[in-house]
Amino acid sequence: MLNTETPSTRHPDLDSYATPALLDAFIADQNAAVAAVQAAAPQLAAAVDAALPRIRAGGRLLYAGAGTSGRLGVLDSVELYPTFSWPRERAVAVIAGGASAMFVAVEGAEDDRAQGAADLAALQPGPNDVALLLAASGATPYVLGAIEAARAAGALTIGFANNPGAPVAAQADIGITLDTGPEVISGSTRLKAGTSQKIALNTFSSALMVRLNKVYGNLMVDLKATNAKLVRRALALTVRASGASEADAQAALAQCDQHVKTALVMLGRGVGADEARALLDAADGSVSRALHP
């Protein structure tokens, strides 16, 4: 029996717990998710380093999964645009059962290997693309079909699974095993197995974005200021990183469509928006190098 399906021996009387003890059991069990990702750090680092040149060459991040894993892939792909101004067309996710499976479970769809291959192939993957294949069991047919299609197109494949020796990890170019063990509720991989996948995806994509110069220091300076909250955040980040007054920061941001990176170079180098953009382009998007060539 797979580790993720094996009944936990730690809480055999879970249904009799009082609410505080019940919550303690669920919360404490999540520690295993963090430990599993920490153990997989070398493989995650290898994945970031292998993905980086492909993404720099214009490749995309392509996600495929089913159920909870599929929804986590969609979540990671969607959040890269507002957080890092990553183009939507360069982070694309497919999920077993189609887009509606984000909201209504389509359980049988995960068993369709041919559909997984077809959905991934429909994205027209190429050698510069990076496919992230997610399956808690590590043997989901839909995801295995997606791996086949990605590999056939020459894309880099990175497989995430929660069981040692899983086909999803073994068949990918880089396998990342997040060995979270049995769940508190037996087989419910939306618990710590899902948590570990969320942490791993956050870690991978955030590290990749840092390497792509989407961050200045530890500040999120390439965000898309698409609502009032993010406009305020852009102003606060510009003031903090530049040391300029709020009025000067606001004036700079108004001239560059609220783009923090551009505003920082404008303020730091005493140039206009067009020249600041040119300096950033020459520095491969690095604020540090644009400010201190």
Side-chain angles (χ1 to χ4, degrees), residues 22-71:
L22 184 61
L23 296 181
D24 283 346
F26 282 122
I27 295 168
D29 202 50
Q30 294 292 314
N31 290 324
V34 177
V37 179
Q38 288 174 327
Q43 291 73 39
L44 280 166
V48 172
D49 288 342
L52 187 61
R54 291 170 169 84
I55 298 300
R56 279 182 172 155
R60 299 169 295 166
L61 296 170
L62 309 178
Y63 301 74
T68 297
S69 299
R71 295 182 191 100

Side-chain angles (χ1 to χ4, degrees), residues 35 59 94 137 148 157 159 164 188 269 282 289:
V94 295
S137 69
E148 290 175 358
T157 54
S188 182
R269 296 289 298 272
R289 294 203 298 273

Side-chain angles (χ1 to χ4, degrees), residues 7-279:
S8 173
T9 59
R10 296 184 61 197
H11 302 284
D13 301 317
L14 188 72
D15 60 347
S16 67
Y17 287 10
T19 300
L22 184 61
L23 296 181
D24 283 346
F26 282 122
I27 295 168
D29 202 50
Q30 294 292 314
N31 290 324
V34 177
V37 179
Q38 288 174 327
Q43 291 73 39
L44 280 166
V48 172
D49 288 342
L52 187 61
R54 291 170 169 84
I55 298 300
R56 279 182 172 155
R60 299 169 295 166
L61 296 170
L62 309 178
Y63 301 74
T68 297
S69 299
R71 295 182 191 100
L72 289 170
V74 173
L75 183 63
D76 200 66
S77 72
V78 167
E79 291 181 342
L80 294 179
Y81 174 74
T83 308
F84 299 110
S85 294
W86 190 249
R88 292 187 179 97
E89 65 273 13
R90 293 185 66 191
V92 186
V94 295
I95 181 173
S100 64
M102 278 296 295
F103 307 99
V104 179
V106 186
E107 296 298 339
E110 72 175 49
D111 297 327
D112 194 336
R113 187 171 186 142
Q115 190 62 54
D119 286 352
L120 201 290
L123 301 179
Q124 298 183 311
N128 286 328
D129 290 332
V130 178
L132 308 172
L133 301 314
L134 301 132
S137 69
T140 305
Y142 179 90
V143 180
L144 292 175
I147 289 179
E148 290 175 358
R151 286 181 64 91
L156 174 70
T157 54
I158 304 171
F160 296 79
N162 291 90
N163 287 293
V168 164
Q171 294 178 22
D173 295 310
I174 298 174
I176 297 173
T177 300
L178 307 168
D179 188 5
T180 44
E183 298 286 359
V184 170
I185 296 177
S186 303
S188 182
T189 51
R190 63 181 289 270
L191 298 175
K192 66 173 177 284
T195 301
S196 71
Q197 290 184 3
K198 171 63 172 162
I199 297 170
L201 286 172
N202 275 351
T203 301
F204 171 83
S205 61
S206 297
L208 188 61
M209 293 296 136
V210 172
R211 296 293 306 277
L212 291 168
N213 299 317
K214 297 289 187 178
V215 173
Y216 177 46
N218 67 346
L219 302 179
M220 190 174 73
V221 295
D222 212 3
L223 78 161
K224 281 288 184 186
T226 52
N227 60 33
K229 176 191 72 176
L230 293 175
V231 168
R232 292 192 298 270
R233 183 178 298 170
L235 178 59
L237 287 167
T238 303
V239 170
R240 180 182 180 88
S242 69
S245 69
E246 188 169 300
D248 287 346
Q250 202 159 34
L253 286 164
Q255 296 174 50
C256 63
D257 196 29
Q258 304 298 313
H259 189 218
V260 177
K261 290 175 72 171
T262 304
L264 290 177
V265 177
M266 292 170 65
L267 293 163
R269 296 289 298 272
V271 298
D274 288 342
E275 188 174 347
R277 292 188 189 99
L279 289 168

